[in-house]
């Protein structure tokens, strides 16, 4: 079963991995990636906005692609929006499979696509000044290796 | 047609969403950008350098040669920075 949620509130990693694995005995691996807001020099908060509707569609299409590539039994993707202070969780990608290789690879694939295709934008707040985060070439390079 | 703007494109244009009637001759995303540029200083600023922009037609990423003449929703935004 797949879950895609865009939400303001925090998430509980244990509850999310339980939801992927509960009641099943065919799962051998659940891989989770959790992204946190890194407190780079002077950062007081990130403000995250997204394109409602397209975000969910875009993520769902990448989950579908991951399912074509690897034998997955479930995927959970949660991305937070709104004002997030350094240290807090911002994103969760959890993948479940019979074997760890598929779960690891799919989690990395989904994270690379999330960074470069899902319509989210971050604005950095450093005290009174605000600036939009620029896209990184290294993220584009990371996604290219899956093509 | 609904136009949506996100991040600094939204800030420069001054609104997140608006309805427009597509003028005759506007066929592609690129044509629409050229049209929007002429709508005022905020638009001119937002669309000054199309290389910094990305577009979606009916919630799918597209290139600037994609058609917009039968679209319901077109969005303009900077390269995405989620995750």
């Amino acid at each position: 079963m797949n879950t895609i949620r865009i939400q303001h509130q925090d998430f509980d990693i244990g509850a999310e991995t339980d939801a992927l694995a509960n009641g099943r005995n065919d799962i051998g691996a659940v891989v989770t990636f959790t992204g946190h807001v890194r407190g780079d020099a002077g950062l007081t908060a990130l403000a995250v906005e997204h394109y409602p509707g397209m975000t969910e569609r875009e993520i769902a299409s990448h989950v579908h692609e991951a399912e074509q590539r690897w034998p997955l039994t479930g995927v959970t993707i949660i991305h937070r929006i709104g004002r997030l202070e350094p240290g807090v969780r911002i994103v969760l990608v959890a993948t479940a499979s019979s074997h760890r290789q598929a779960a690891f690879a799919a989690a990395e694939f989904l994270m690379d696509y999330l960074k470069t295709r899902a319509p989210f934008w971050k604005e950095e707040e450093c005290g009174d000044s605000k600036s939009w985060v620029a896209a990184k070439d290294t993220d584009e390079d990371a996604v290219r290796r899956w093509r | 047609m609904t136009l949506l703007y996100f991040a600094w494109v939204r800030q420069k244009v001054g609104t997140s969403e608006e309805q427009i009637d597509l003028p005759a001759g506007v066929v592609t995303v690129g044509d629409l950008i050229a049209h929007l540029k002429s709508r005022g200083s905020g638009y001119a600023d937002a669309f000054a350098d199309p290389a910094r922009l990305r577009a979606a037609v009916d919630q799918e990423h597209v290139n600037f040669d994609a058609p917009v003449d039968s679209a319901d929703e077109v969005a303009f935004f900077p390269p995405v920075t989620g995750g």
Side-chain angles (χ1 to χ4, degrees):
Chain A
M1 201 199 68
N2 299 325
T3 303
I4 295 166
R5 294 208 305 271
I6 314 300
Q7 61 188 39
H8 282 84
Q9 68 270 30
D10 196 11
F11 46 82
D12 179 337
I13 300 164
E16 298 302 335
T17 58
D18 283 354
L20 277 174
N22 272 356
R24 305 188 60 140
N25 57 14
D26 58 338
I27 291 173
V30 177
V31 164
T32 63
F33 169 85
T34 311
H36 289 247
V37 176
R38 193 177 55 243
D40 287 341
L43 185 83
T44 43
L46 284 180
V48 182
E49 74 173 64
H50 80 304
Y51 182 169
M54 179 172 169
T55 311
E56 292 83 351
R57 282 175 62 151
E58 190 69 23
I59 294 172
S61 80
H62 298 134
V63 169
H64 180 71
E65 194 181 337
E67 287 174 322
Q68 307 301 308
R69 288 178 175 234
W70 296 283
L72 303 173
T73 52
V75 172
T76 296
I77 295 180
I78 302 173
H79 202 301
R80 294 180 69 189
I81 51 171
R83 189 176 182 277
L84 301 170
E85 295 183 350
V88 306
R89 286 178 283 268
I90 178 170
V91 63
L92 174 72
V93 171
T95 52
S97 183
S98 298
H99 299 287
R100 71 180 185 282
Q101 291 87 348
F104 272 123
E108 204 167 9
F109 169 91
L110 287 166
M111 201 53 220
D112 286 343
Y113 273 89
L114 202 57
K115 285 222 137 237
T116 53
R117 297 292 179 272
F120 291 98
W121 299 273
K122 293 187 189 122
E123 190 176 32
E124 288 180 339
E125 177 190 301
C126 296
D128 292 335
S129 78
K130 290 182 177 178
S131 59
W132 290 96
V133 174
K136 292 194 196 76
D137 290 342
T138 49
D139 290 332
E140 229 8 90
D141 293 342
V143 82
R144 216 166 273 140
R145 70 201 160 116
W146 299 106
R147 285 175 203 156
Chain B
M1 170 188 290
T2 303
L3 296 182
L4 299 173
Y5 310 106
F6 294 95
W8 55 256
V9 182
R10 167 177 54 76
Q11 291 174 332
K12 287 176 191 284
V13 167
T15 187
S16 59
E17 181 175 345
E18 62 181 331
Q19 304 292 324
I20 66 157
D21 293 320
L22 214 56
V26 173
V27 178
T28 66
V29 173
D31 296 339
L32 181 55
I33 290 174
H35 167 66
L36 291 172
K37 263 187 193 172
S38 69
R39 298 184 76 206
S41 62
Y43 291 91
D45 190 17
F47 293 95
D49 182 4
R52 296 181 65 204
L53 294 172
R54 299 293 180 268
V57 170
D58 292 334
Q59 306 194 350
E60 302 271 0
H61 289 291
V62 293
N63 293 320
F64 291 172
D65 57 0
V68 289
D69 43 350
S70 60
D72 295 321
E73 186 174 296
V74 179
F76 292 101
F77 43 79
V80 302
T81 56

